[in-house]
């Protein structure tokens, strides 16, 4: 396989700038098409010795943030892997596009949290990453052309609904259209053409797969995975009462009445980075094994090593949290699976 160097340079430049800002190092003069030079060196030392030396939550957060950035860079390189023609067939393009989306969201999160507290926003963006990673894993797991067809048609459903409403309004005005309507219709027709479809092929409603809960179950993930990957982080997306009362309001203390608004952002910690990076790398491994297999071994080995370091930090941080709360640290194998 080879790599689209320009695209890699563009995305990896963001990671290079972050690293330079964190360490004071100057950015590398350039990135070649050689795989070894595309893969970044680790941003932080997460060896057993280094992790064992961490005692404060902030120390674990710094390690987790560095590993998160490294994961984003590895996923970036993986998303740019292409066949010798430099083009991707439709199904693979969908999977690669999901990886690119994950990379961009991870870059945004890394930038937001480099120097500021932004947990409320990070949780919402992470929910997008987790959904994309799950969709990618499910598409690869099923490996069914009809499912990819449904994925495309489902995505175009809102455009079909708007198309019908716009054409109805134009007809009601005797065929007179507004410039904005013409642009919207042109955009919709362009998306359909790129998808190999006519607008009449697209249903205005309908999903794909069996729904997120069923899709996660079919992937063989634990029972709690749907709650962890979808329902809990959805609070931050939809602004539910749970999100408000934990992030944006201060509940009254005993004997008090009424709530106070909480205008300050909440700080992030290891748990905002490690689990998301771990799962995003799982989806990347699925992609590489399915489309490249043996030729992707350098990337797969890097993912294995990176996930080992992420799990090490996750487990050590959880033990510290339990100790601070006066709990006896227990086995944490399930946490990192």
């Amino acid at each position: 396989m080879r790599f689209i160097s320009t695209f890699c340079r563009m995305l990896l430049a963001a990671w290079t700038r972050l690293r330079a800002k964190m360490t004071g190092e100057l950015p590398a003069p350039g990135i070649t098409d050689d795989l070894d030079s595309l893969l970044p060196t680790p941003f932080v030392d997460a060896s057993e010795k280094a992790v064992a030396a961490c005692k404060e939550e902030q120390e674990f957060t710094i390690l987790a943030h560095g590993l998160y950035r490294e994961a984003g860079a590895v996923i970036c390189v993986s998303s740019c892997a292409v066949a010798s023609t430099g083009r991707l067939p439709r199904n693979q393009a969908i999977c690669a596009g999901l990886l690119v989306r994950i990379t961009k969201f991870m870059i945004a999160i890394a930038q937001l949290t480099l120097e500021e507290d932004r947990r409320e926003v990070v949780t919402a963006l992470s929910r997008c990453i987790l959904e994309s990673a799950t969709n990618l894993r499910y598409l690869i797991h099923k490996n069914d052309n009809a499912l990819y067809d449904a994925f495309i048609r489902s995505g175009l459903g809102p455009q079909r609904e708007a198309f019908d409403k716009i054409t109805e309004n134009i007809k009601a005005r005797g065929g007179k259209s507004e410039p904005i309507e013409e642009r919207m219709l042109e955009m919709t027709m362009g998306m359909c053409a790129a998808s190999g479809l006519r607008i009449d092929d697209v249903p205005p409603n309908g999903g794909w797969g069996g729904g997120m809960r069923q899709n996660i179950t079919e992937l063989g993930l634990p029972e709690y995975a749907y709650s962890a990957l979808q329902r809990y982080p959805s609070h931050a997306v939809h602004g539910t009462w749970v999100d408000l009362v934990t992030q944006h309001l201060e509940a009254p203390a005993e004997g008090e009445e009424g709530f106070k608004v909480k205008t300050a952002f909440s700080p992030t910690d290891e748990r905002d980075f490690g689990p998301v990076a771990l799962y995003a790398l799982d989806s990347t491994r699925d992609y590489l094994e399915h489309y490249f297999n043996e030729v992707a071994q350098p990337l797969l080995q890097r993912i294995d090593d990176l996930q080992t370091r992420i799990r090490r930090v996750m487990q050590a941080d959880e033990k510290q949290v339990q100790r601070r709360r006066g709990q006896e640290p227990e086995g944490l194998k399930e946490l990192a699976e």
Side-chain angles (χ1 to χ4, degrees), residues 16-88:
T16 304
R17 287 194 297 270
L18 282 171
R19 182 176 184 180
K21 193 169 184 179
M22 291 286 287
T23 64
E25 298 173 357
L26 293 175
I31 299 174
T32 70
D33 288 328
D34 181 73
L35 181 58
D36 291 335
S37 65
L38 283 174
L39 288 173
T41 57
F43 295 109
V44 292
D45 179 7
S47 62
E48 292 183 5
K49 181 179 179 180
V51 173
C54 294
K55 304 301 179 185
E56 302 296 330
E57 183 61 46
Q58 182 64 18
E59 295 176 295
F60 289 107
T61 302
I62 291 173
L63 288 184
H65 194 275
L67 294 170
Y68 184 89
R69 300 197 318 273
E70 182 183 347
V74 170
I75 296 170
C76 168
V77 173
S78 301
S79 71
C80 294
V82 296
S84 58
T85 61
R87 295 284 181 172
L88 299 173

Side-chain angles (χ1 to χ4, degrees), residues 75 91-92 94-100 102 130-142 148 151 208 219 280 282-288 291:
I75 296 170
N91 292 359
Q92 185 179 356
I94 290 173
C95 295
L98 288 168
L99 283 182
V100 172
I102 290 169
L130 295 170
E131 181 169 351
S132 290
T134 300
N135 288 343
L136 171 57
R137 300 191 73 184
Y138 186 72
L139 286 167
I140 289 175
H141 171 71
K142 300 298 286 187
Y148 284 93
F151 178 85
W208 69 281
L219 286 172
D282 281 339
S283 69
T284 307
R285 179 190 290 104
D286 289 350
Y287 173 77
L288 292 173
Y291 285 106

Side-chain angles (χ1 to χ4, degrees), residues 274-332:
V276 176
L278 204 63
Y279 191 67
L281 288 168
D282 281 339
S283 69
T284 307
R285 179 190 290 104
D286 289 350
Y287 173 77
L288 292 173
E289 289 179 343
H290 182 75
Y291 285 106
F292 297 102
N293 201 7
E294 292 300 321
V295 76
Q297 283 307 305
L299 281 168
L300 293 170
Q301 291 170 6
R302 181 60 173 270
I303 289 173
D304 289 342
D305 175 69
L306 179 52
Q307 287 190 313
T308 296
R309 286 180 279 134
I310 292 172
R311 289 190 180 96
R312 181 181 296 140
V313 173
M314 289 174 61
Q315 293 172 356
D317 179 56
E318 176 60 20
K319 289 180 180 179
Q320 283 295 110
V321 170
Q322 292 179 16
R323 290 192 183 99
R324 286 197 298 270
R325 292 175 175 269
Q327 300 170 322
E328 185 66 26
E330 299 177 354
L332 298 171

Side-chain angles (χ1 to χ4, degrees), residues 12-274:
L12 284 175
W15 300 106
T16 304
R17 287 194 297 270
L18 282 171
R19 182 176 184 180
K21 193 169 184 179
M22 291 286 287
T23 64
E25 298 173 357
L26 293 175
I31 299 174
T32 70
D33 288 328
D34 181 73
L35 181 58
D36 291 335
S37 65
L38 283 174
L39 288 173
T41 57
F43 295 109
V44 292
D45 179 7
S47 62
E48 292 183 5
K49 181 179 179 180
V51 173
C54 294
K55 304 301 179 185
E56 302 296 330
E57 183 61 46
Q58 182 64 18
E59 295 176 295
F60 289 107
T61 302
I62 291 173
L63 288 184
H65 194 275
L67 294 170
Y68 184 89
R69 300 197 318 273
E70 182 183 347
V74 170
I75 296 170
C76 168
V77 173
S78 301
S79 71
C80 294
V82 296
S84 58
T85 61
R87 295 284 181 172
L88 299 173
R90 186 202 66 172
N91 292 359
Q92 185 179 356
I94 290 173
C95 295
L98 288 168
L99 283 182
V100 172
R101 183 175 194 266
I102 290 169
T103 300
K104 291 177 178 178
F105 275 67
M106 291 182 75
I107 287 175
I109 288 174
Q111 291 173 329
L112 282 171
T113 56
L114 184 62
E115 295 177 341
E116 303 289 345
D117 295 330
R118 294 289 186 267
R119 168 172 276 176
E120 294 81 353
V121 179
V122 167
T123 304
L125 294 178
S126 293
R127 166 65 166 69
C128 298
I129 292 172
L130 295 170
E131 181 169 351
S132 290
T134 300
N135 288 343
L136 171 57
R137 300 191 73 184
Y138 186 72
L139 286 167
I140 289 175
H141 171 71
K142 300 298 286 187
N143 194 27
D144 181 357
N145 282 333
L147 187 63
Y148 284 93
D149 291 342
F151 178 85
I152 291 173
R153 287 189 171 91
S154 175
L156 289 169
Q159 275 63 38
R160 170 61 192 274
E161 185 176 357
F163 182 92
D164 289 346
K165 185 61 179 178
I166 292 171
T167 53
E168 178 184 319
N169 290 340
I170 293 174
K171 183 178 180 180
R173 293 195 297 268
K176 183 180 179 180
S177 62
E178 300 291 338
I180 188 173
E181 292 175 324
E182 294 173 3
R183 295 196 303 272
M184 292 178 69
L185 293 177
E186 181 181 356
M187 182 180 300
T188 297
M189 297 301 289
M191 284 186 281
C192 287
S195 308
L197 298 171
R198 296 177 298 109
I199 189 64
D200 292 337
D201 298 329
V202 179
N205 299 297
W208 69 281
M212 189 58 68
R213 186 190 293 272
Q214 180 178 323
N215 294 353
I216 288 174
T217 299
E218 289 189 37
L219 286 172
L221 298 176
E223 290 185 5
Y224 60 80
Y226 177 71
S227 294
L229 296 173
Q230 292 293 119
R231 300 208 70 187
Y232 287 160
S234 288
H235 289 304
V237 174
H238 302 297
T240 66
W241 169 244
V242 170
D243 180 55
L244 297 181
V245 79
T246 58
Q247 305 296 337
H248 309 293
L249 297 172
E250 292 183 11
E254 186 176 353
E256 296 181 342
E257 293 185 5
F259 292 82
K260 295 181 179 179
V261 295
K262 186 192 299 183
T263 57
F265 282 97
S266 302
T268 52
D269 58 36
E270 185 282 323
R271 289 167 291 280
D272 294 299
F273 303 112

